[in-house]
Amino acid sequence: MRKFLVSFLIVVLVVLSFSEVVVRLGGWPSSPTEEKALQEAVDKFNEMHKGEIKIVYEPIPGDYRVKLTAMLSAGTAPDIFYLDVNWAEEFFSKGIIQPLDLYIKKHGLDLEDFYPSLLNAFKYKGRIYGIAKDFSTLALFYNKKMFDEVGLKYPDATWTWDDLLEAAKKLTRDLDGDGKIDVWGLALYPDAFNRVIPFIFQAGGKIVNEDLSTALGEPEAVEGIKFYFDLHNKYKVAVSPQDVGAGWLGDAFGKEKVAMVMSGPWMLGFLRDNFPNVDYGVAELPKYKERATMIYTVCYAIPKTCKHKDEAFIALKYLVSEGMKIFTERLGVLPSRKSLAEKELNDPIKGAFYKGVAYGIPWKVPTPSGISSKLIDEINTRFLKIWNGEMSVEDAVKEIVQHYDEWVK
Amino acid sequence: MRRRVREALVGYLFSAPIIIAILAFTIVPVFQALYYSFTDYDALLQQKYNYIFNPEFSLQDYLVVLLDEEKPSLQELLERFDPVDFIEYTFGFELDNKQKEILKNYFLSEKLLKDFLDRKLNKDMRLKDFMARYLKTGKRYFTVYRPHIIGFENFKKLFKDRYFWIALKNSAVFSLVVTPIQTFLALILAIAANQKIRGVKFFKTTFFIPSITSSAAISMIFLLLYTKPGLINRLLGVFGVPPVDWLGNTKTALPAIMAMNIWTTAGYFMVTFLAGLQNIPSSIIEASEIDGAKGWTRFWKIILPLLKPQIIFVVTLGIIGTLQVFDQIYFLIRSQENITVSMYIYQNAFSYGKMGYASAIALIFFLIIFTVTFIQRKIMKEERFW
């Protein structure tokens, strides 16, 4: 009798576990904290949907895009996975991602609550292919102590390019009187198109026209690019992180080698953990003719090969609703929902990032083919040359405009 | 006879694991790369006929009809329905002319729309099964993803591609500079490590450590060494050399990585030379000493010729290794002007989505390495005299 009961129980359990639809979730874990936060959100879902749907979170470390491509090609891709706005369009344009419009209608998702710029970031030809899981924008980090030392007022929302330049000039100093500069006003990346784009938009330019041809040759765009590199080449108030022996902007700022950097909320945790004694503030990026910043965001998407799209969408919907609350609170990243962001809008540190989402541009270069990786490599190569003084801004732009069409094919 | 067959069979059975592994991971991929180099293969499209969709769902979307609320006539729907357009709209990929022709002539639109109106289509289906069901004929054009054969297009493009030539030049320079220096250095290290002095084990370990350290870790260390305020610039500063951003400058980036590569590989090849040195019978050395060969003469006339097999080995591996250098370039190079061929292959295959083009470059590059090694073996063999 007991034997029968045990085997009966096993059968029941097996049947139960088979009736549960498994939804695999893949993404790159940018830190162990992120892995934990997402797992926590997933666990909560699994508890709520016991016996119906089960999310299995499979972090994909390493070269995510290469691995995802291989998995998609082999037909073993997860049912929900991260796509970075920067290269997501390439995946949309090839038709491998499921448009979500109908599922949104069927299962209901209050799109109104999402920031419009984040929704648009994952739209392609009028359809929604992914929902933003969180976002980051660029803002101006400044070292309060250094500003006090030279008697400067802290940056605020009224700051313009002129203020930035004047402050940077004052902050670039020789501290020990040996005739060599010891601290600089700014640290910038020499070869990062995405950091130059805000300047292009601030100068009233844009990166592509309506018909997706390049707009980098326009005088406004050139003015923006020029100002960025002039900070280093002409005014000599900006250095690269490597110039001061730092790995990246956050490192250079934390080591107090530079007074200002333009970076994102990922700096907050880094500074807290590695440089807790640096007293800093965060302001919106300075404006010129326009106000602009860069938006970085990642979405959850479902591939067309997914076998249980309804269940996958229910899981996705949870991840951008209750799941997002758990995830963003644990990790300290910015939620893409207005209702979740509300209480942090006036936070002295995070406020600047939230303000940026209203006028920011998602970090992608829209092209007719959806492919922009080669283009970005080519532009960055030329930017590095400008930074090193091997090429003028005008020549670089001329080359970019001339070859643009070859690079986006 | 039967016994011999059985014996052979057993033999093959025992070696089957390695045969299968080599077939699956070496032979087949080589031929696949050869095939892809003549196509526009795109890995992301591999599963395109396995896409799963709910036909009712998609048809409602395409026809803008909600079956729960309205019941249009079949005639009305037939007028609005175009199979080519439907597939392209729903799946987001373009069909080729042959496929369009098949759809136009053999697609059973009426059957599909009837099933649609009868609510028979509310279930998940794979695209290829859907096609098998609603195509009168020609479903084989909708079962497996076949890249388009584009002949020699990839190769034609390659010869006009500026970056291919830059990458090729960089690889060649890399190999021509690094191979001789690393061979020479490895030889010196081996001779040093072969001395009978105190603490020789310590030196051997020190020389060898770079080659067992992970390339990523070494790259990160050198990233810091090469920065403007880094150790190397400070050292050069003592001699009044102004600081250089070694990796940021397109002119110095490649030489900087060459130096690092030599540092990591010299110790590895030292082991080969060390083994060679210790294999030289002491009788030969003694005999040469009796004949009056000392110091340099002994080294040039006796030891070096006896090390020839090791030199050939090291030079061959060195050339192949340097031509294929990838990881250090991947970690440290920032400008497209400084990439090597293997890096360019990787970029095309995995970030530019041009697998076919990448295969074409790989094929040409393979032919180059093959020729170089072949010539080198020819030259080295002729001089053999042992």
Side-chain angles (χ1 to χ4, degrees):
Chain A
M1 193 59 201
R2 240 176 84 191
K3 248 187 190 165
F4 171 78
L5 245 162
V6 168
S7 40
F8 178 76
L9 263 174
I10 288 174
V11 168
V12 167
L13 275 175
V14 166
V15 168
L16 268 181
S17 63
F18 270 108
S19 66
E20 211 172 41
V21 174
V22 171
V23 172
R24 291 165 59 221
L25 165 66
W28 63 87
S30 57
S31 66
T33 329
E34 172 165 351
E35 215 176 305
K36 242 187 275 164
L38 193 53
Q39 187 62 52
E40 200 176 315
V42 164
D43 287 343
K44 182 110 185 280
F45 176 88
N46 290 342
E47 222 169 86
M48 282 159 54
H49 293 81
K50 212 163 195 161
E52 300 159 30
I53 309 172
K54 186 180 176 196
I55 305 181
V56 178
Y57 174 40
E58 301 170 1
I60 304 174
D63 204 333
Y64 177 78
R65 194 173 155 189
V66 171
K67 284 185 188 160
L68 183 67
T69 304
M71 286 169 122
L72 281 165
S73 140
T76 56
D79 301 305
I80 306 175
F81 47 72
Y82 290 10
L83 285 181
D84 189 306
V85 64
N86 184 236
W87 41 266
E89 209 154 282
E90 189 177 333
F91 283 58
F92 303 157
S93 73
K94 286 185 178 160
I96 46 185
I97 306 295
Q98 176 66 41
L100 299 175
D101 307 74
L102 280 174
Y103 291 92
I104 291 170
K105 237 182 250 166
K106 191 170 164 190
H107 297 281
L109 179 67
D110 45 342
L111 294 179
E112 296 294 303
D113 194 29
F114 289 85
Y115 285 107
S117 52
L118 300 180
L119 273 186
N120 289 332
F122 299 106
K123 261 189 195 160
Y124 180 72
K125 294 194 174 161
R127 291 173 162 194
I128 296 175
Y129 283 84
I131 308 286
K133 80 181 192 19
D134 54 14
F135 75 97
S136 308
T137 57
L138 291 181
L140 185 71
F141 285 73
Y142 57 92
N143 185 314
K144 287 187 177 167
K145 193 185 86 200
M146 288 178 163
F147 269 72
D148 291 341
E149 278 168 7
V150 295
L152 268 174
K153 248 180 64 194
Y154 297 151
D156 56 33
T158 64
W159 257 40
T160 61
W161 280 11
D162 289 333
D163 295 316
L164 178 77
L165 179 59
E166 286 315 311
K169 276 183 183 164
K170 273 195 189 144
L171 289 159
T172 304
R173 291 172 296 157
D174 166 18
L175 295 179
D176 50 12
D178 64 350
K180 278 191 206 146
I181 304 288
D182 300 301
V183 291
W184 279 265
L186 269 167
L188 300 173
Y189 287 127
D191 54 349
F193 188 33
N194 67 83
R195 303 307 173 103
V196 182
I197 293 175
F199 286 84
I200 294 173
F201 278 89
Q202 284 159 8
K206 52 191 175 195
I207 50 175
V208 290
N209 296 313
E210 288 290 309
D211 61 354
L212 300 186
S213 61
T214 179
L216 291 175
E218 306 297 321
E220 293 88 2
V222 175
E223 191 184 359
I225 301 170
K226 223 174 152 108
F227 182 71
Y228 184 92
F229 288 103
D230 275 351
L231 288 170
H232 172 69
N233 290 336
K234 187 169 161 196
Y235 305 114
K236 309 215 180 295
V237 294
V239 284
S240 75
Q242 279 76 30
D243 284 343
V244 291
W248 63 291
L249 291 183
D251 202 14
F253 186 76
K255 285 177 175 156
E256 304 202 291
K257 293 283 186 188
V258 297
M260 295 180 280
V261 292
M262 286 168 245
S263 194
W266 52 83
M267 288 256 301
L268 303 175
F270 174 79
L271 291 174
R272 187 189 57 222
D273 296 342
N274 299 290
F275 302 101
N277 297 325
V278 175
D279 188 15
Y280 65 91
V282 182
E284 289 173 77
L285 290 192
K287 62 186 177 198
Y288 180 42
K289 291 174 196 156
E290 307 276 342
R291 207 174 245 308
T293 187
M294 196 90 281
I295 299 178
Y296 304 90
T297 179
V298 170
C299 74
Y300 294 112
I302 297 174
K304 280 195 183 141
T305 43
C306 169
K307 289 195 180 74
H308 312 284
K309 294 218 182 72
D310 281 297
E311 287 82 0
F313 186 80
I314 292 168
L316 188 151
K317 189 184 152 192
Y318 164 83
L319 289 171
V320 297
S321 312
E322 295 98 318
M324 184 188 286
K325 188 164 186 294
I326 300 174
F327 180 72
T328 52
E329 271 172 12
R330 291 287 177 283
L331 198 54
V333 293
L334 315 185
S336 40
R337 272 176 183 275
K338 292 178 204 158
S339 58
L340 291 177
E342 225 158 38
K343 59 179 183 296
E344 285 187 325
L345 286 183
N346 293 316
D347 186 284
I349 297 286
K350 281 189 176 174
F353 300 117
Y354 283 113
K355 283 185 191 113
V357 76
Y359 50 78
I361 316 105
W363 165 221
K364 63 173 171 181
V365 186
T367 63
S369 62
I371 298 171
S372 60
S373 319
K374 186 172 172 70
L375 172 78
I376 293 167
D377 281 351
E378 295 276 3
I379 290 178
N380 287 343
T381 291
R382 278 160 188 81
F383 279 2
L384 185 60
K385 277 190 169 174
I386 302 176
W387 180 275
N388 289 335
E390 296 165 24
M391 199 178 214
S392 72
V393 172
E394 286 78 8
D395 287 346
V397 168
K398 214 161 89 191
E399 270 192 34
I400 292 168
V401 172
Q402 197 185 342
H403 296 289
Y404 196 86
D405 292 336
E406 300 164 31
W407 297 337
V408 297
K409 250 186 260 168
Chain B
M1 196 62 206
R2 254 187 69 99
R3 236 193 89 158
R4 276 186 62 186
V5 171
R6 256 183 66 178
E7 221 164 70
L9 216 64
V10 169
Y12 280 118
L13 212 61
F14 271 112
S15 42
I18 192 68
I19 292 178
I20 292 170
I22 289 177
L23 265 178
F25 295 111
T26 311
I27 312 279
V28 173
V30 164
F31 283 98
Q32 258 178 329
L34 182 70
Y35 164 58
Y36 289 153
S37 62
F38 294 98
T39 67
D40 63 351
Y41 178 76
D42 185 339
L44 284 175
L45 301 180
Q46 186 76 51
Q47 298 292 328
K48 68 192 226 183
Y49 299 113
N50 285 330
Y51 289 163
I52 293 164
F53 76 128
N54 179 317
E56 181 172 304
F57 211 49
S58 303
L59 276 168
Q60 293 196 69
D61 180 37
Y62 173 74
L63 297 166
V64 204
V65 165
L66 266 178
L67 282 184
D68 287 335
E69 285 160 27
E70 53 191 314
K71 184 131 192 177
S73 71
L74 183 61
Q75 206 47 47
E76 199 183 320
L77 291 183
L78 266 173
E79 268 165 39
R80 266 194 262 168
F81 184 78
D82 172 15
V84 175
D85 197 34
F86 170 66
I87 297 295
E88 288 190 344
Y89 174 81
T90 306
F91 293 96
F93 56 71
E94 272 176 42
L95 299 168
D96 61 29
N97 289 335
K98 183 76 197 164
Q99 288 175 321
K100 281 183 187 166
E101 195 192 308
I102 299 260
L103 280 179
K104 231 171 245 159
N105 296 326
Y106 305 112
F107 192 80
L108 306 166
S109 300
E110 218 178 305
K111 185 179 165 200
L112 172 74
L113 294 172
K114 244 186 216 150
D115 287 349
F116 173 62
L117 287 174
D118 296 342
R119 310 292 301 252
K120 282 185 191 159
L121 294 176
N122 192 7
K123 58 185 172 219
D124 283 343
M125 215 185 257
R126 273 194 302 189
L127 174 58
K128 64 177 175 198
D129 300 332
F130 175 80
M131 284 300 178
R133 206 153 138 192
Y134 293 103
L135 267 182
K136 223 188 295 174
T137 172
K139 64 184 180 208
R140 69 197 164 93
Y141 292 99
F142 296 91
T143 39
V144 191
Y145 164 61
R146 283 196 192 83
H148 300 118
I149 307 272
I150 53 170
F152 286 91
E153 277 312 304
N154 284 328
F155 296 93
K156 271 188 218 154
K157 192 174 138 200
L158 187 149
F159 284 103
K160 278 184 282 177
D161 184 350
R162 201 175 134 243
Y163 283 108
F164 170 70
W165 294 108
I166 289 177
L168 199 60
K169 193 196 94 197
N170 286 339
S171 285
V173 170
F174 199 98
S175 189
L176 284 175
V177 174
V178 171
T179 313
I181 299 181
Q182 89 190 2
T183 310
F184 182 68
L185 208 63
L187 188 58
I188 303 231
L189 288 181
I191 289 166
N194 202 29
Q195 302 301 314
K196 289 182 184 63
I197 45 169
R198 265 158 76 85
V200 74
K201 274 197 181 145
F202 169 76
F203 287 109
K204 274 187 208 167
T205 317
T206 317
F207 297 154
F208 194 61
I209 274 181
S211 48
I212 51 167
T213 312
S214 117
S215 198
I218 288 176
S219 298
M220 288 307 116
I221 292 167
F222 272 80
L223 187 69
L224 293 177
L225 285 178
Y226 280 138
T227 56
K228 249 188 188 169
L231 202 63
I232 290 173
N233 275 321
R234 255 187 273 170
L235 218 69
L236 290 173
V238 176
F239 305 103
V241 182
V244 181
D245 183 3
W246 292 97
L247 294 171
N249 197 316
T250 41
K251 291 196 184 73
T252 53
L254 210 58
I257 292 177
M258 287 182 201
M260 170 182 142
N261 192 277
I262 291 168
W263 181 76
T264 51
T265 47
Y268 178 74
F269 289 128
M270 169 197 78
V271 177
T272 316
F273 282 129
L274 203 56
L277 281 175
Q278 283 168 356
N279 256 345
I280 297 176
S282 53
S283 55
I284 294 185
I285 306 283
E286 276 161 21
S288 72
E289 224 157 290
I290 291 165
D291 287 345
K294 283 225 166 80
W296 272 110
T297 330
R298 191 169 77 196
F299 177 73
W300 279 113
K301 301 269 154 112
I302 310 291
I303 295 178
L304 209 57
L306 285 172
L307 278 180
K308 199 137 214 170
Q310 279 78 28
I311 294 175
I312 294 175
F313 177 75
V314 168
V315 168
T316 312
L317 281 195
I319 287 179
I320 296 174
T322 48
L323 281 178
Q324 290 182 336
V325 66
F326 173 77
D327 37 7
Q328 293 157 353
I329 302 285
Y330 177 80
F331 285 123
L332 298 178
I333 280 298
R334 280 147 72 193
S335 166
Q336 284 290 99
E337 310 266 323
N338 296 130
I339 50 167
T340 55
V341 177
S342 40
M343 179 72 191
Y344 196 49
I345 294 172
Y346 172 86
Q347 280 180 336
N348 272 296
F350 297 110
S351 38
Y352 304 161
K354 296 191 177 3
M355 197 63 89
Y357 187 50
S359 302
I361 303 174
L363 188 68
I364 295 289
F365 195 46
F366 162 75
L367 289 178
I368 292 171
I369 296 185
F370 182 79
T371 317
V372 169
T373 324
F374 186 75
I375 293 172
Q376 183 214 356
R377 279 193 67 94
K378 270 266 140 79
I379 296 172
M380 295 267 192
K381 256 201 186 131
E382 274 169 21
E383 282 182 21
R384 256 172 147 162
F385 54 81
W386 61 84

